[in-house]
Structures are given as C-alpha cells and as structure tokens.
C-alpha cells in the first residue's frame, strides 16, 4: 500500500492537536498535514471525560488559544463548553478537512537515512490499514490510557455493594439521583 506523504502528522485532536493544526494553517499554509484522532469527535480529554461536574481547573483565558481567544463568561468552564470551543476552533480554522477520526496508531518508526517517520494507523471501525510518511510527528495524545484508565487500589472494594464507575467510562444513562457519590 502506498504511504501518504505529509510534512506533519499530528496525533490527537484535543487541545494540543487542534492548537498545532491551527498554528500550521496560520503560519505554514503550504505544509501538508493531517490530524489523526482515535475517538470519533474533537476534544481529547474533554470528549473522554463526561461525568457530571467535569470542568477545567485552569482559567480559560490563559488555557484558550491566542489565535481564537476565549470569549465566554465562564472562567472555569465545564467539559461540554470546552469541547464545543475546540470543535468551533477546528471549524473556524478549516481543520475539518485535515481531521481523520477513528484512527489508532499501531506503529511508528523513524528513518535517519530518509529523515522521515513512517506510521501505520488502523481504522478502528473497519480495520483498514493506513500508511503515512512525514517529516515531523507531533504527539498530542495526552497522558490517559483511553481503554483502561488508572484505578487505584481501594481496600475493601470487593465488599462494596453499590455501583462502581470509572470517571472516564461514565455511562450517559447512569441515574445517580438521591445517591451518595
């Protein structure tokens, strides 16, 4: 299979990936790049964590982008608002055509002789293989294991009779009304 040749390949469509893509569009408009995102939406951490009350612990005026300043009244924004900000930023900067969702990187190798990265990505929905070559690889993946987030050892957890939910796997239909959480 022929590899797609790029100047830059960005992995992750969260704060870092969208920021890098926006900067490339503005400062290096002649560079060819794609943003590969494993999830099916822009947002990174803010798409992964959807539990009630998730919000930024940093003020959004400094956490937001210089090229698209935060103009909301919320200084410490909730996750859904941040996710929308990232989606709107991607759209406003024309990143929609550079985004490829549902792509998981399975191999990455640097060649000093070719001065290029070679990557293999898998389409998670259908298992298709996608090959890329690039001069620069930007890893905007964050530090979470999206499949199995860290769970500390809670002594006695096996005796707990309630529902245990990991924050990064919060079910949309969890009814926690009237319960101690």
């Amino acid at each position: 299979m022929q590899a797609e040749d790029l100047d830059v390949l960005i992995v992750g469509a969260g704060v870092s990936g969208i920021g890098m893509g926006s900067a490339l569009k503005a400062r290096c408009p002649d560079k060819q790049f794609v943003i590969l995102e494993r999830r099916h939406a822009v947002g990174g951490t803010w798409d992964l964590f959807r539990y009630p009350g998730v919000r930024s612990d940093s003020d959004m005026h400094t956490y937001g982008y210089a090229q698209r300043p935060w103009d909301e009244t919320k200084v410490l924004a909730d996750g859904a608002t941040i996710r929308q900000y990232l989606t709107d930023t991607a759209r406003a900067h024309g990143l929609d055509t550079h985004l490829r969702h549902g792509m998981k990187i399975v191999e990455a190798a640097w060649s000093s002789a070719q001065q290029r990265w070679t990557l293999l990505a898998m389409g998670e929905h259908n298992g298709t293989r996608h090959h890329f070559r690039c001069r620069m690889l930007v890893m905007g993946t964050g530090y979470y294991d999206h499949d199995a987030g860290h769970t500390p050892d809670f002594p006695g957890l096996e005796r707990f009779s309630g529902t245990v939910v990991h924050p990064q796997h919060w079910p949309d239909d969890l009814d926690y009304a009237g319960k101690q959480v």
Side-chain angles (χ1 to χ4, degrees):
M1 173 178 266
Q2 183 70 23
E4 186 174 350
D5 279 309
L6 304 163
D7 295 301
V8 182
L9 189 139
I10 302 167
V11 181
V15 172
S16 298
I18 296 302
M20 182 62 161
S22 297
L24 281 170
K25 288 283 284 196
R27 298 182 186 139
C28 305
D30 58 322
K31 299 296 182 194
Q32 297 295 313
F33 72 94
V34 298
I35 303 171
L36 300 183
E37 171 57 49
R38 185 172 177 195
R39 299 177 63 73
H40 294 281
V42 167
T45 296
W46 304 107
D47 183 58
L48 177 63
F49 287 93
R50 293 178 174 240
Y51 58 86
V54 65
R55 67 177 178 86
S56 173
D57 60 358
S58 300
D59 82 271
M60 291 302 297
H61 298 288
T62 54
Y63 186 63
Y65 303 117
Q67 65 269 31
R68 188 167 179 274
W70 180 259
D71 62 3
E72 297 283 329
T73 57
K74 295 178 188 176
V75 174
L76 299 177
D78 61 84
T81 304
I82 298 169
R83 192 169 55 250
Q84 190 61 54
Y85 171 70
L86 294 171
T87 300
D88 293 346
T89 300
R91 188 174 301 112
H93 292 184
L95 300 181
D96 301 42
T97 59
H98 297 269
L99 282 163
R100 308 227 185 123
H101 294 281
M103 302 285 281
K104 178 181 179 179
I105 302 295
V106 294
E107 289 179 16
W110 171 253
S111 168
S112 294
Q114 295 179 359
Q115 295 291 295
R116 292 211 185 335
W117 285 96
T118 302
L119 293 99
L120 171 62
M122 299 292 284
E124 288 201 305
H125 63 286
N126 60 11
T128 57
R129 298 165 58 94
H130 303 266
H131 297 269
F132 299 93
R133 290 186 333 151
C134 60
R135 293 181 174 275
M136 178 182 280
L137 176 61
V138 177
M139 299 300 287
T141 58
Y143 55 89
Y144 297 108
D145 180 337
H146 288 227
D147 295 323
H150 174 70
T151 301
D153 180 30
F154 293 113
L157 183 61
E158 69 281 354
R159 294 186 308 274
F160 178 67
S161 62
T163 303
V164 176
V165 178
H166 194 287
Q168 78 181 47
H169 299 289
W170 193 273
D172 291 334
D173 62 348
L174 181 65
D175 180 11
Y176 58 92
K179 296 180 181 172
Q180 291 182 341
V181 177

